[in-house]
């Protein structure tokens, strides 16, 4: 009698991408103790998604560790393997409200967070990297503490709208994208852009701000370089250390 065929996990490639993104984020110095979360939609309608588990350090997340959740599950926080409440508030709501946001990366990377703490955190176009986000960035300046209430998630979804970047005042950054590589590339370049802005502002000299036309032309010009994301992500994952073999 033939043994039953073993069915491959249809989420395996996405699980690998997301767990690698979490580990790369730590390698770049952008992790936050055992907090912050990355997620990726699995279902076509975006309602079912993968999310890193509650309080598991970015550096140790393996593909099989990722939670498989449904944004419409009203009982999820009452289960023993419940996700972090703030992660559910942000990612659960965004996946439910914005099915086109296939990948959602939330981090407190240093320069992006510093920018978010300015009274005016506007990403002013002053070079290629800052102009990359011209017309693509939304702002939520209504920080009310740790985002763990349903109304907080709804407000963030409203603020994001159709943009790909949400600067969360006094908090951090949230990036959405079509693939893990695409979203991570925006996270990477946003941190570079924020670094440039913080350094330029710290000089005390006036900024040489690009005109709207030049900024828009630069942002549009980045589209032809989308393939960079996959190549960059492939390199970054190639230099990751092996996960420890012991269970965590």
């Amino acid at each position: 009698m033939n043994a039953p065929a073993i069915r491959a996990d249809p989420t395996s490639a996405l699980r690998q991408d997301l767990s690698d993104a979490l580990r790369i984020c730590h390698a770049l110095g952008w992790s936050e103790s055992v907090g912050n979360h990355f997620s990726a939609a699995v279902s076509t309608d975006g309602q079912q998604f993968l999310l890193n588990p509650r309080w598991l350090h970015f550096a140790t997340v393996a593909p099989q560790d990722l939670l498989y959740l449904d944004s419409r599950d009203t009982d999820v926080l009452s289960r023993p393997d419940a996700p972090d409440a703030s992660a559910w508030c942000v990612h659960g709501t965004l996946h439910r409200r914005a099915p086109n946001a296939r990948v959602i990366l939330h981090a407190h990377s240093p320069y992006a967070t510093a920018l978010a703490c300015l009274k005016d955190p506007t990403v002013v176009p002053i070079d290629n990297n800052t102009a990359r986000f011209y017309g693509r960035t939304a702002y939520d300046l209504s920080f009310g503490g740790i985002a763990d209430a349903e109304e907080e998630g709804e407000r963030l979804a409203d603020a994001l709208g159709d943009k790909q970047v949400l600067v969360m005042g006094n908090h951090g950054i949230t990036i959405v994208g079509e693939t893990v590589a695409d979203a991570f590339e925006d996270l990477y370049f946003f941190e570079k852009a924020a670094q440039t802005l913080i350094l330029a502002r710290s000089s005390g000299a006036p900024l040489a701000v690009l005109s709207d036309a030049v900024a828009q032309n630069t942002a549009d010009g980045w589209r032809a370089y989308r393939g960079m994301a996959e190549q960059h992500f492939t390199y970054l994952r190639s230099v990751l250390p092996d996960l420890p073999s012991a269970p965590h």
Side-chain angles (χ1 to χ4, degrees):
M1 187 176 189
N2 294 330
I6 299 175
R7 297 180 63 182
D9 179 359
T11 71
S12 59
L14 187 58
R15 285 178 176 275
Q16 188 68 60
D17 286 350
L18 197 61
S19 63
D20 284 348
L22 289 158
R23 295 172 61 215
I24 292 167
C25 187
H26 171 69
L28 292 173
W30 302 344
S31 57
E32 183 100 334
S33 179
V34 292
N36 286 181
H37 295 81
F38 289 2
S39 63
V42 174
S43 58
T44 303
D45 63 4
Q47 303 302 305
Q48 296 173 317
F49 63 96
L50 302 173
L51 177 76
N52 51 307
R54 180 174 181 260
W55 301 349
L56 184 61
H57 197 282
F58 275 26
T60 68
V61 177
Q64 65 270 19
D65 294 323
L66 297 170
L67 303 176
Y68 192 116
L69 303 171
D70 191 311
S71 65
R72 299 157 295 193
D73 184 355
T74 57
D75 298 322
V76 67
L77 293 179
S78 63
R79 299 199 176 94
D81 60 346
D84 179 271
S86 63
W88 180 250
C89 162
V90 175
H91 295 259
T93 305
L94 288 177
H95 280 294
R96 177 171 52 81
R97 290 274 308 275
N100 291 330
R102 303 301 298 176
V103 177
I104 302 171
L105 310 182
H106 172 63
H108 299 169
S109 49
Y111 286 98
T113 303
L115 180 67
C117 292
L118 298 180
K119 187 174 182 63
D120 179 4
T122 302
V123 182
V124 181
I126 58 174
D127 74 333
N128 275 326
N129 293 342
T130 49
R132 176 188 178 100
F133 300 100
Y134 184 80
R136 303 178 58 218
T137 307
Y139 301 86
D140 174 70
L141 306 182
S142 300
F143 179 75
I146 294 176
D148 56 4
E150 183 177 347
E151 56 269 23
E152 182 90 354
E154 295 289 345
R155 193 191 74 245
L156 294 173
D158 288 338
L160 178 65
D162 62 353
K163 307 300 185 186
Q164 294 78 48
V165 178
L166 179 62
V167 175
M168 304 164 73
N170 303 102
H171 188 165
I173 186 74
T174 293
I175 305 282
V176 303
E178 293 183 22
T179 69
V180 173
D182 286 338
F184 198 89
E185 192 78 338
D186 267 349
L187 180 64
Y188 177 88
F189 274 107
F190 193 89
E191 182 67 3
K192 298 279 284 185
Q195 181 181 26
T196 297
L197 279 169
I198 292 295
L199 291 174
R201 288 193 182 281
S202 70
S203 72
L207 300 181
V209 181
L210 303 176
S211 69
D212 290 347
V214 171
Q216 186 63 64
N217 184 57
T218 306
D220 293 343
W222 272 106
R223 296 174 186 169
Y225 292 87
R226 184 181 176 190
M228 288 174 55
E230 192 62 47
Q231 295 300 315
H232 187 205
F233 192 72
T234 296
Y235 166 74
L236 291 173
R237 80 195 315 172
S238 76
V239 295
L240 282 172
D242 292 334
L243 281 168
S245 57
H248 49 265

